[in-house]
Amino acid sequence: MTQPFIGISGLIGAGKSTLAEKLASALKVPLFKEPVEENAYLSKFYENPEKYGFSMQVYLLSFRFEAHQNLVWQRCGGIQDRTIYEDAVFAKTLHRQGKMSDLDFQTYQRLAENMFSFLYEPDLILHLEVSPEKALQRIRLRGRESEKGIPLEYLKLLQRGYREFLDERQKRVRVLRLDWETFQSVDRVVSEIRECLDLRGV
């Protein structure tokens, strides 16, 4: 790949989508967005996570696997708004909450691990660090109907899952953590990416 493959991770409401669009434009690479409007499970999941949690996680796993492979095979780099790897954060959180059964969680893990074995790792995971309180504030400001009932406690559990995810993932791929309590300029982020990946000419 002549251009980097960068995944952007972070809590719901962290600001991933906005930054992803700006980075894709600045680095002149394709943008692979997280499915929101086209996700038929999303509103159902927030209304009844016990019933739809497993189905939504499998849907997202399938969608991101396809996007990940398309990104790799196009050989032109890209920005992915949330990677396939961090979907496990959400599945693990549902399991911890008792909203995904042991059997469903084991099935999900087996499916995810089989998929991961076919994937080319990103060159970089760019993680946006925000507090659960800040994330909830931003969720409320953007006003998506399906997200209006997200509780702070859920975001705190996700934050715990992300810490575990990053500690494990950084053993395999570069991870750049950015303090995103206050938004930074895209030029500054691009500079940090270039330094991290040694892409002075990009």
Side-chain angles (χ1 to χ4, degrees):
M1 262 186 233
T2 57
Q3 289 280 55
F5 168 11
I6 299 170
I8 302 182
S9 74
L11 286 176
I12 303 165
K16 298 181 302 300
S17 298
T18 300
L19 179 61
E21 291 178 1
K22 291 179 178 179
L23 281 179
S25 177
L27 294 172
K28 297 180 174 58
V29 295
L31 171 62
F32 294 80
K33 294 183 178 181
E34 181 177 19
V36 176
E37 299 299 330
E38 63 269 47
N39 186 348
Y41 285 105
L42 193 59
S43 60
K44 293 181 174 66
F45 165 74
Y46 282 127
E47 290 169 6
N48 192 339
E50 291 91 343
K51 181 177 180 179
Y52 291 103
F54 178 74
S55 299
M56 190 176 82
Q57 290 303 137
V58 171
Y59 165 80
L60 289 171
L61 200 64
S62 174
F63 181 95
R64 283 194 236 280
F65 182 84
E66 181 180 0
H68 188 115
Q69 292 295 67
N70 285 339
L71 191 157
V72 171
W73 288 109
Q74 287 179 19
R75 296 184 178 276
C76 57
I79 303 293
Q80 188 172 22
D81 178 1
R82 183 166 280 137
T83 69
I84 189 172
Y85 302 103
E86 66 193 277
D87 275 348
V89 173
F90 292 82
K92 184 182 288 187
T93 298
L94 285 171
H95 183 245
R96 282 175 169 160
Q97 290 177 305
K99 295 179 179 179
M100 182 183 287
S101 70
D102 291 344
L103 180 59
D104 281 350
F105 184 57
Q106 290 164 10
T107 299
Y108 172 85
Q109 285 183 308
R110 188 177 302 112
L111 177 60
E113 288 167 5
N114 286 336
M115 285 183 165
F116 294 169
S117 69
F118 290 97
L119 297 178
Y120 173 98
E121 295 271 9
D123 297 298
L124 176 70
I125 290 179
L126 184 64
H127 183 73
L128 306 185
E129 297 271 12
V130 298
S131 67
E133 291 79 9
K134 177 63 72 174
L136 186 59
Q137 180 185 33
R138 291 175 182 170
I139 288 168
R140 288 172 176 167
L141 281 173
R142 74 185 177 191
R144 286 179 186 162
E145 183 65 22
S146 61
E147 296 176 341
K148 66 181 182 181
I150 293 177
L152 179 61
E153 186 58 35
Y154 178 60
L155 295 174
K156 289 181 177 179
L157 285 172
L158 286 178
Q159 184 185 54
R160 172 187 170 188
Y162 265 108
R163 286 171 178 163
E164 295 168 350
F165 160 75
L166 292 169
D167 287 344
E168 176 61 28
R169 188 51 47 183
Q170 67 187 5
K171 298 173 185 176
R172 299 179 177 139
V173 63
R174 288 186 180 99
V175 174
L176 177 59
R177 305 187 194 207
L178 296 180
D179 181 351
W180 216 246
E181 287 288 300
T182 302
F183 299 126
Q184 300 179 26
S185 72
V186 69
D187 288 342
R188 180 175 176 182
V189 176
V190 168
S191 177
E192 292 194 47
I193 290 171
R194 287 173 173 165
E195 182 177 350
C196 184
L197 294 177
D198 196 26
L199 297 174
R200 298 183 182 88
V202 174

